[in-house]
């Protein structure tokens, strides 16, 4: 049994319901740090498995380590966002992602959002532009949030 986030009637607006957006930008950065640590721990496990597989296959299995590294973060974020509307870091910070109707993200939307997030983190100019955009728009959306019409909010009570 999964604990999905309760649906809202619609996406809260910052003008009428500011409590959903208070402190979200800073919590989001903290959640990123927590998730980075979790992913690094997961990557350590993937690396250990890769070494064992590499030894057992006389080095041929090492070809799968790089794709496994890339898929680890993608699977972590996509799965948790689709099932819980938040990664472990987001849960710890009390924030979650919602679509433009206030609903939790579907698996395809969580996957697309995660792909956008990943692409953004590998392109420093886009990352900087995205952080600036998040600082000036009323919803605190990053560029990939706006592209996929999702919003980070404080978890509803």
């Amino acid at each position: 049994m999964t604990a999905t986030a309760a649906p809202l009637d619609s996406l809260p607006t910052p003008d009428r319901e500011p409590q959903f957006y208070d402190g979200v930008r800073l919590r989001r950065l903290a959640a990123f740090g927590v998730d980075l640590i979790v992913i690094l721990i997961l990557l350590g496990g993937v690396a250990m498995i890769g070494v064992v597989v590499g030894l057992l296959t006389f080095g041929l299995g090492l070809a799968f380590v790089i794709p496994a590294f890339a898929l680890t973060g993608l699977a972590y974020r996509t799965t948790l966002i689709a099932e819980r509307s938040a990664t472990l870091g987001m849960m710890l910070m009390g924030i979650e992602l919602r679509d433009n109707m206030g609903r939790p993200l579907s698996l395809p939307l969580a996957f697309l959002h995660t792909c956008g997030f990943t692409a953004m983190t590998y392109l420093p100019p886009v990352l900087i532009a995205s952080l600036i955009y998040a600082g000036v728009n009323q919803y605190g959306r990053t560029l990939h949030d706006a592209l996929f019409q999702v919003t980070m909010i404080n978890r509803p009570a």
Side-chain angles (χ1 to χ4, degrees):
M1 174 185 260
T2 60
T4 57
L8 298 169
D9 293 333
S10 63
L11 188 63
T13 61
D15 297 337
R16 288 191 295 240
E17 298 167 297
Q19 71 273 17
F20 283 102
Y21 301 94
D22 289 342
V24 167
R25 289 176 180 97
L26 188 56
R27 286 191 193 118
R28 189 173 192 168
L29 286 174
F32 174 79
V34 170
D35 289 330
L36 182 61
I37 292 167
V38 170
I39 291 171
L40 288 173
I41 291 168
L42 292 172
L43 289 178
V46 169
M48 286 191 280
I49 292 169
V51 167
V52 170
V53 169
L55 290 173
L56 294 175
T57 61
F58 302 105
L60 295 175
L62 293 175
F64 296 102
V65 172
I66 299 300
F69 270 31
L71 291 174
T72 299
L74 189 70
Y76 166 78
R77 287 185 53 82
T78 299
T79 303
L80 286 173
I81 289 171
E83 289 185 3
R84 308 249 178 174
S85 293
T87 62
L88 294 175
M90 292 174 200
M91 286 183 232
L92 187 63
M93 296 300 133
I95 55 177
E96 59 187 40
L97 280 169
R98 295 299 180 104
D99 70 11
N100 63 345
M101 299 300 294
R103 299 175 301 222
L105 276 57
S106 64
L107 181 60
L109 184 55
F111 175 74
L112 289 172
H113 185 267
T114 299
C115 288
F117 169 80
T118 303
M120 182 189 69
T121 60
Y122 284 107
L123 301 168
V126 177
L127 177 61
I128 292 166
S130 189
L131 292 173
I132 291 168
Y133 180 71
V136 299
N137 72 80
Q138 67 176 349
Y139 286 91
R141 288 179 170 164
T142 57
L143 291 175
H144 68 288
D145 292 342
L147 177 65
F148 297 109
Q149 297 183 8
V150 302
T151 303
M152 187 77 68
I153 61 170
N154 288 317
R155 188 173 341 155

